[in-house]
Amino acid sequence: MNGLGVILLSQLKRDRWVLTFWLGGIGLLGISVATAITTQFADDAERTAIIQIAAANPAFLFLRGLPDGVSLGAVAFFQGFAFTAVLAGLMSTFLVVRHTRADEEAGRAELLGATPIARSTMLAATLVLGTLANVALVGLLSLAYIGGGLDGGGSVVAAFAVGAVGLVFVGVAALVAQLMPSGRSANGVASALVIGAYLLRGIGDALGTPSDDLLSATPSPISWLSPIGWGQATRPYTEPTLLPLLLSLAVFIVLAGASVAVRSRRDLGSSLVPERSGRASARFGGRSVLGLAWRLQRATVLGWVAGVVVLGAIAGGLGPVVAEAVAENDTLAALIGSLVPGSTADTAEVFIAALLGIGGVLAAAAGVQAMLRLRAEEVEGRAELLLATPVSRARWLGATALVATASVLIVTVALGVATGGVLARSSGDGADVLRYAGAALAHAPAALVFVAIAALAFALVPRVTIALGWGLLVIGLFLGQFGELLQLPGWLQAVSPFFHSSAVPVVEFDVVAAIILLAMTVVGLAVALIALRRRDLTS
Amino acid sequence: MTTAPIITTSALTKRFGRATALDGLDLHVDEGEVHGFLGPNGAGKSTTIRVLLGLIKPSSGTASVFGLDPWADPETIHRDVAYVPGDVSLWPGLTGGEAIDLLASLRGGAEAALRAELIEQFEFDPRKKARTYSKGNRQKVALIAAFARPARLYILDEPSSGLDPVMESVFRQQVQRVRAAGATVLLSSHVLSEVEQLCDRVTIIREGRVVESGSLAELRHLSRTSFRVSGMADAAAVRALPGVHDLVAVGDSVEFEADADAIPAVLAAVAGGGAHAVTAAPASLESLFLRHYSETR
């Protein structure tokens, strides 16, 4: 047991900043959601209105979760739980893979494996660390919710609901790490399972039955297939119960036990899914900088495309359902009509336009990811190898910017085509495909601005490239998506490029705004090209 | 041998914040030579190489490769340069073969026969994903990519540090092959036998400055000779001579080192002191390096 303690301590020490960042970030999200609800929606009538709209709208149910009454806590839980739970899941999977498969791959595990500890001790230490991280998360979130002005008992239950999701994914990632051959693939599979849990719960909730007063809803059984659904079933601010979390605990114990059993039986470095061997020589496309940039981004783009196709199918499939639900309810129709500038907009289109807007953010993330890879290439020494050949820095950055731009376009078009394609099946109008592809593309210019921002950060302040690239995207997302909800001043909302995207088809495409955004992108990239030529390559 | 300078730096200085990595470095590498570039860890070898490749900008002083300024015109220089970094990092998702083709293609393309021969000689499996390669195998990727297409200048930064002895000898053959073809090689290395076997001239640097430069013969001349003398009645006569260092008495013998210009006086003192056995050994390259590497500052 002594070995376990020593290893646990070393893992904790290695993780102190990463974990501080994750826990602090999730805690901050908790307190801001709670505060937003208690300050912006202090009025009962307002909360009732927002919950009624949501309950009648499968898309809201899909994205947010199930409404469960109109108390402050219940509304905050409805707004924040699913997303917070996803973050807890990702924190847990990255933590576990970092200390298991990734360490094994990097050879650090071999060093420790040669000391007199059991084969599974490192894994056991990681399981303990993951549990501790989620216990800390429960404590922090309880404080955050209570600090934000929510009911005490309910807040503790809500925090446990989040922590339980995190704990399940500690177990999931521990087992996945035993089966996959590399840290990268283990992270990919484990985080896909987190997203899968969110989507499963989303489908189950969207197919749920709203109560007659539209203040709550019961999920379909599908939600019970997802650990996030179990957390939601604690109903913390209405009828609090920790019983569903016993299911989470049981699943964690089974998965953790299975991972330990696999680890004690397998060789170091071996895996169920083997590493495949590849090509002995490069194809034509693999012999240029552009080919390399695409090769490095390809899997990422495919992942984003898969994500937005699901999103698009939901948008296209649920849009008409939403419109129908609203049409049956006059007060709701009036409410939604008052939310939309210009009364001509049809409800389905409002809903779809909102989802396409989210697609713009996802496209930006895909593009930013391509640009930020340059920094990893530089830090890890591959840029040095590349730039010692006759490849100029301009060509290197240019090729990557091209791939980033292509990523943005591919992701937006994929979303539009998926949305329009599903809509066309119900409407019978094939032109929907083109129309919504165009509508989704309207968000590309704003997304491209973030590609240019990432390039500028890389060229001008390389040491903080990653933080700036993602940080500014999150701020842009926050201002664009929550600026209205938090009633931030207009000029502040206008800072975000997303603010200037046109929500086609609800509003007309703003050509001038799009041209300005594109011009900003071009200027940003040009400045980055020049600046990169003037700085030292760092490592 | 022609003497057109391929690499020259003069008063080359590079500062990173307050730290000075290069402090007035003067390096000359002539065409067609294999030039050893030596120094303890942190002496500034890799920094010099990065300046020569135009990856970082000198704080002051000048550098030139093929008569061009590497910071102003890196791409032109790189057309004729093959580079192997000290710590090779590859794209985890690419196979070794793909990485070789990428790097060689960016320089104009590998010669197919040469590539195949190198892969065979280095006993390299090009089908594996780079993330599974050991340090030695990653180094082989960079070496094969570098040698698979002729270059005018090879810049090799501790290229054999991850290779086993058999692979090291393959590496040496390759260096000798490109030298025979008229190429110039700048070889940073810690492996003394490698330096002794391959290098025409060496430059030793320490703390960003050149402390010694010349052919191996010249450097040996500059270095000390070790003496062991038995039966001498009075060691004090030797001890007092200028240019005699590290004298210790072992039984009835004394051991010491003498500078080259002190040798006539030492021999006279030994002859007059009644010695009955004398051994004198030329400085080994190793002692030369150790002296430069570990000299107290």
Side-chain angles (χ1 to χ4, degrees):
Chain A
M1 264 324 181
N2 192 24
L4 183 82
V6 173
I7 290 171
L8 177 61
L9 222 65
S10 79
Q11 291 184 348
L12 189 65
K13 200 169 162 191
R14 230 176 95 197
D15 267 6
R16 60 187 188 273
W17 293 116
V18 190
L19 272 184
T20 308
F21 179 77
W22 271 105
L23 291 171
I26 301 177
L28 218 60
L29 177 78
I31 201 163
S32 41
V33 168
T35 315
I37 299 297
T38 48
T39 55
Q40 310 292 344
F41 291 93
D43 184 31
D44 274 359
E46 275 184 14
R47 289 201 304 277
T48 308
I50 196 175
I51 287 296
Q52 281 181 332
I53 296 173
N57 188 330
F60 270 113
L61 302 184
F62 180 86
L63 290 172
R64 299 282 187 179
L66 293 171
D68 191 24
V70 294
S71 70
L72 287 170
V75 176
F77 188 71
F78 168 68
Q79 287 279 13
F81 173 70
F83 190 54
T84 315
V86 166
L87 289 181
L90 292 177
M91 172 185 86
S92 301
T93 55
F94 290 144
L95 177 150
V96 170
V97 172
R98 188 160 58 235
H99 290 293
T100 51
R101 182 55 74 176
D103 254 13
E104 209 169 315
E105 194 186 2
R108 282 186 288 268
E110 191 166 339
L111 211 60
L112 279 173
T115 63
I117 54 170
R119 260 198 295 280
S120 56
T121 304
M122 272 179 284
L123 175 61
T126 304
L127 290 168
V128 173
L129 179 67
T131 309
L132 288 179
N134 281 295
V135 168
L137 184 62
V138 170
L140 264 176
L141 275 180
S142 302
L143 292 178
Y145 292 150
I146 295 170
L150 304 181
D151 168 65
S155 295
V156 174
V157 174
F160 265 106
V162 174
V165 175
L167 191 66
V168 168
F169 282 102
V170 169
V172 168
L175 189 57
V176 167
Q178 304 310 311
L179 307 181
M180 300 307 290
S182 66
R184 196 187 143 93
S185 56
N187 267 329
V189 169
S191 37
L193 288 172
V194 174
I195 304 302
Y198 174 82
L199 292 178
L200 258 184
R201 174 219 53 80
I203 293 168
D205 291 352
L207 297 175
T209 329
S211 64
D212 292 339
D213 58 4
L214 289 179
L215 294 181
S216 63
T218 15
S220 90
I222 298 176
S223 293
W224 282 94
L225 298 175
S226 160
I228 301 179
W230 308 336
Q232 190 167 247
T234 56
R235 307 184 63 190
Y237 295 95
T238 312
E239 277 179 48
T241 166
L242 288 174
L243 278 182
L245 302 188
L246 288 180
L247 192 54
S248 317
L249 189 64
V251 167
F252 166 71
I253 290 170
V254 169
L255 290 172
S259 69
V260 169
V262 174
R263 181 65 197 92
S264 343
R265 278 166 187 76
R266 72 177 173 86
D267 292 348
L268 188 73
S270 71
S271 55
L272 185 76
V273 181
E275 188 82 65
R276 283 167 308 182
S277 68
R279 309 178 59 83
S281 59
R283 285 182 227 232
F284 178 72
R287 292 168 187 251
S288 66
V289 188
L290 186 60
L292 175 70
W294 171 246
R295 174 77 186 267
L296 298 178
Q297 174 74 355
R298 194 174 57 192
T300 309
V301 168
L302 283 179
W304 285 109
V305 164
V308 297
V309 163
V310 172
L311 188 67
I314 290 158
L318 290 184
V321 182
V322 175
E324 207 173 296
V326 171
E328 285 168 5
N329 187 324
D330 287 345
T331 45
L332 215 54
L335 253 170
I336 289 208
S338 71
L339 287 177
V340 180
S343 53
T344 53
D346 111 20
T347 324
E349 288 191 340
V350 173
F351 169 66
I352 290 168
L355 277 186
L356 293 184
I358 293 176
V361 179
L362 300 181
V368 164
Q369 225 173 339
M371 285 320 293
L372 296 187
R373 192 166 291 115
L374 290 179
R375 179 59 184 161
E377 293 282 287
E378 183 181 11
V379 172
E380 288 162 26
R382 292 183 290 270
E384 187 176 318
L385 209 53
L386 212 57
L387 294 177
T389 71
V391 170
S392 69
R393 296 183 188 189
R395 209 166 108 206
W396 184 49
L397 182 73
T400 308
L402 206 62
V403 166
T405 305
S407 306
V408 167
L409 297 180
I410 292 170
V411 172
T412 45
V413 169
L415 174 60
V417 167
T419 309
V422 175
L423 270 177
R425 284 178 55 122
S426 58
S427 69
D429 181 2
D432 274 352
V433 177
L434 272 183
R435 187 156 54 237
Y436 285 99
L441 263 180
H443 297 279
L448 287 174
V449 171
F450 285 92
V451 169
I453 289 174
L456 275 173
F458 173 64
L460 294 171
V461 279
R463 276 170 219 288
V464 291
T465 307
I466 310 279
L468 265 186
W470 286 124
L472 291 177
L473 179 61
V474 169
I475 291 173
L477 164 70
F478 185 79
L479 292 178
Q481 296 285 317
F482 294 100
E484 202 74 49
L485 180 74
L486 300 180
Q487 293 173 2
L488 296 176
W491 63 266
L492 188 57
Q493 294 186 41
V495 168
S496 167
F498 294 125
F499 182 82
H500 304 282
S501 280
S502 316
V504 183
V506 179
V507 300
E508 285 283 301
F509 181 58
D510 185 343
V511 181
V512 178
I515 289 176
I516 292 174
L517 290 173
L518 286 177
M520 284 170 68
T521 306
V522 170
V523 170
L525 286 175
V527 172
L529 281 177
I530 295 165
L532 183 61
R533 182 69 189 82
R534 286 159 196 267
R535 76 166 171 89
D536 280 359
L537 205 67
T538 60
S539 54
Chain B
M1 189 183 286
T2 56
T3 52
I6 291 288
I7 296 173
T8 42
T9 73
S10 73
L12 185 64
T13 304
K14 179 65 187 177
R15 280 181 289 271
F16 295 108
R18 269 193 227 146
T20 303
L22 298 179
D23 188 10
L25 185 102
D26 298 305
L27 175 68
H28 289 266
V29 178
D30 289 332
E31 177 139 40
E33 72 175 359
V34 177
H35 194 103
F37 194 41
L38 309 153
N41 294 328
K45 300 187 296 288
S46 295
T47 305
T48 308
I49 287 174
R50 289 199 176 111
V51 170
L52 294 176
L53 289 169
L55 298 172
I56 56 177
K57 187 183 181 182
S59 306
S60 66
T62 58
S64 103
V65 178
F66 309 139
L68 298 167
D69 175 358
W71 183 251
D73 206 358
E75 290 86 35
T76 313
I77 291 171
H78 293 168
R79 263 177 229 144
D80 293 318
V81 171
Y83 169 55
V84 176
D87 193 359
V88 181
S89 167
L90 298 171
W91 298 271
L94 265 59
T95 63
E98 287 174 322
I100 290 170
D101 285 342
L102 172 70
L103 292 170
S105 298
L106 294 176
R107 286 174 44 224
E111 288 181 5
L114 199 51
R115 178 188 186 276
E117 187 188 316
L118 285 163
I119 283 182
E120 198 194 314
Q121 283 185 1
F122 276 111
E123 295 173 11
F124 180 71
D125 178 358
R127 306 188 74 93
K128 283 196 180 155
K129 290 276 167 71
R131 71 168 71 88
T132 64
Y133 285 133
S134 64
K135 175 177 164 60
N137 274 325
R138 291 199 305 271
Q139 221 142 17
K140 286 180 191 175
V141 169
L143 283 168
I144 294 171
F147 286 121
R149 179 180 173 81
R152 196 171 157 208
L153 170 64
Y154 294 79
I155 297 179
L156 313 173
D157 192 358
E158 294 184 31
S160 58
S161 54
L163 302 181
D164 65 41
V166 179
M167 292 303 126
E168 252 179 69
S169 94
V170 174
F171 163 70
R172 287 175 206 191
Q173 286 164 21
Q174 290 302 322
V175 172
Q176 277 155 351
R177 176 180 68 79
V178 300
R179 195 237 312 255
T184 308
V185 179
L186 179 66
L187 172 67
S188 128
S189 175
H190 283 301
V191 184
L192 301 176
S193 57
E194 185 174 281
V195 172
E196 226 165 357
Q197 198 179 331
L198 292 175
C199 296
D200 304 303
R201 291 203 308 140
V202 302
T203 294
I204 302 177
I205 70 168
R206 233 166 64 85
E207 291 171 5
R209 249 171 302 199
V210 172
V211 290
E212 205 86 82
S213 186
S215 70
L216 285 175
E218 282 165 2
L219 293 190
R220 282 213 180 87
H221 179 72
L222 286 175
S223 66
R224 297 166 182 170
T225 303
S226 310
F227 281 91
R228 182 188 169 93
V229 182
S230 307
M232 205 159 54
D234 184 15
V238 175
R239 190 194 300 268
L241 291 170
V244 169
H245 307 271
D246 304 334
L247 186 137
V248 284
V250 186
D252 73 334
S253 308
V254 285
E255 291 180 10
F256 57 89
E257 292 185 350
D259 290 342
D261 51 7
I263 286 180
V266 168
L267 290 179
V270 168
H276 57 72
V278 178
T279 11
S284 67
L285 206 51
E286 190 174 343
S287 70
L288 174 70
F289 291 151
L290 281 178
R291 187 150 63 87
H292 281 304
Y293 277 31
S294 62
E295 226 159 46
T296 47
R297 41 212 74 174

